[in-house]
Amino acid sequence: MNKHASISRRTFLAFNYLFLAAVAIACLFPLLNVLAISFSSSAAVSAGKVSLWPVDFNLKSYSFVLSKPEFGRAFLISLGRVAVGVPLNMLLTILIAYPLSKRSHEFRFRNAYAWYFVVTMLFSGGLIPWYMTIKMTGIIDTFWAMILPGAVPIFNVILLLNFFKSLPDEIDQAAQIDGASRWQTLWQIAVPLSAPAVATLTLFCIVTHWNSWFDGLILMNRPDNYPLQSYLQTVIVNRDLSLMAAQDILKWAEVSDRTSKAAQVFVAVLPVLFVYPFLQKYFAEGIVMGSVKG
């Protein structure tokens, strides 16, 4: 019986590995195709000759995107947005989620505040009131217009709130007996124990700030203040030739729409790909922690 179970187990694992490998390859093929297109000539792409390997290998699309000084300025703006926006998002998320994770007898108005935040996530005033509110604060066409309106990511607050609630109450009680204050309990106990959740939400915030383009187009009056994604959206996707010099327009003639978009995808995704390996270990720890909680 045990031998039969062992054979069934090995068969099941082999099938799982094959199935997951097939899914991974299926997900990888489109990315490889986009990468091959970005390194191929516009003629080969237009002729449909490119599949998983570049045809007439060249770097014209990347050269067109990376050679402009406007690109470097937009890249630095996006880096600054991530460097300022992500720590602010995580600080406010932690400070809001921790008290809301407590029971009503510990935090008297906990339910009222929780519903307040949930309602703001489900309902909004619309684009025009949102814009007018930001305009009345006087931060339109400034760096802070891309930071402050989204400083409190409510969805992330709810996720971290639930993670804090999953921590045993005995931890807080032991900390209070040892004389720890609420601030010490939060930063020295709760946050380190929630490292997998904090790392995951940090990655969410990084991706959100790095990939945001719509707010840059709406809230910035001058193209000089565009973040990277807004700049790429305007110059490459919408082909706003007013933002191009004469030599750039000549370069554009050598780059097809598909190759430039493919280059845009990889230029935009590389920073996130560099960050992900450093956070991967926390995802693994989160899986292990979740498997042993009783």
Side-chain angles (χ1 to χ4, degrees):
M1 183 68 179
N2 291 337
K3 182 178 180 180
H4 176 73
S6 177
I7 295 175
S8 300
R9 174 70 176 172
R10 287 197 296 267
T11 304
F12 175 76
L13 291 177
F15 175 80
N16 272 354
Y17 289 143
L18 290 175
F19 175 76
L20 293 176
V23 172
I25 293 173
C27 294
L28 188 61
F29 275 166
L31 294 178
L32 293 176
N33 177 252
V34 173
L35 182 62
I37 289 175
S38 69
F39 286 117
S40 300
S41 66
S42 58
V45 173
S46 300
K49 297 179 180 179
V50 181
S51 56
L52 300 178
W53 194 258
V55 178
D56 299 332
F57 181 88
N58 68 83
L59 299 174
K60 291 181 179 179
S61 295
Y62 290 97
S63 175
F64 174 77
V65 173
L66 299 175
S67 63
K68 293 171 60 64
E70 293 85 354
F71 175 88
R73 181 168 55 248
F75 190 89
L76 291 177
I77 291 174
S78 286
L79 286 181
R81 178 175 182 172
V82 171
V84 175
V86 173
L88 180 62
N89 287 154
M90 293 308 303
L91 176 63
L92 294 179
T93 297
I94 292 171
L95 293 180
I96 295 172
Y98 182 70
L100 292 181
S101 66
K102 302 306 176 184
R103 293 183 173 86
S104 298
H105 69 273
E106 296 178 274
F107 181 24
R108 184 176 178 182
F109 300 103
R110 182 257 180 201
N111 292 334
Y113 281 109
W115 277 110
Y116 172 81
F117 286 110
V118 170
V119 168
T120 62
M121 183 180 68
L122 298 177
F123 303 99
S124 66
L127 180 61
I128 294 177
W130 172 77
Y131 177 84
M132 293 182 65
T133 301
I134 298 173
K135 184 177 181 180
M136 291 179 65
T137 62
I139 60 174
I140 288 291
D141 202 31
T142 66
F143 175 77
W144 295 105
M146 298 180 292
I147 303 295
L148 296 181
V152 180
I154 305 300
F155 180 73
N156 291 358
V157 170
I158 294 176
L159 292 180
L160 189 58
L161 181 158
N162 290 326
F163 198 94
F164 280 149
K165 288 178 67 175
S166 68
L167 298 177
D169 293 336
E170 290 77 10
I171 294 178
D172 273 0
Q173 296 170 5
Q176 293 175 20
I177 292 174
D178 290 339
S181 65
R182 286 292 187 182
W183 284 100
Q184 290 174 320
T185 303
L186 170 61
W187 295 111
Q188 298 180 18
I189 298 176
V191 171
L193 289 177
S194 305
V198 172
T200 302
L201 297 181
T202 299
L203 182 60
F204 288 171
C205 293
I206 291 173
V207 172
T208 299
H209 279 289
W210 186 259
N211 287 340
S212 294
W213 60 272
F214 183 73
D215 56 352
L217 292 179
I218 296 296
L219 302 176
M220 299 295 115
N221 296 329
R222 295 177 298 164
D224 290 346
N225 292 333
Y226 282 170
L228 179 61
Q229 302 299 335
S230 301
Y231 168 80
L232 293 176
Q233 174 74 15
T234 302
V235 175
I236 296 180
V237 177
N238 292 337
R239 299 189 189 183
D240 188 350
L241 300 183
S242 64
L243 300 179
M244 296 185 186
Q247 60 271 25
D248 295 326
I249 297 177
L250 293 177
K251 288 182 180 179
W252 177 259
E254 300 177 352
V255 179
S256 72
D257 183 58
R258 291 186 62 190
T259 58
S260 63
K261 286 183 178 180
Q264 173 194 353
V265 169
F266 278 90
V267 168
V269 80
L270 279 178
V272 177
L273 291 180
F274 286 139
V275 170
Y276 181 80
F278 296 100
L279 302 179
Q280 172 64 29
K281 63 178 182 179
Y282 292 106
F283 298 154
E285 289 178 9
I287 296 173
V288 174
M289 289 175 61
S291 65
V292 298
K293 285 179 181 178

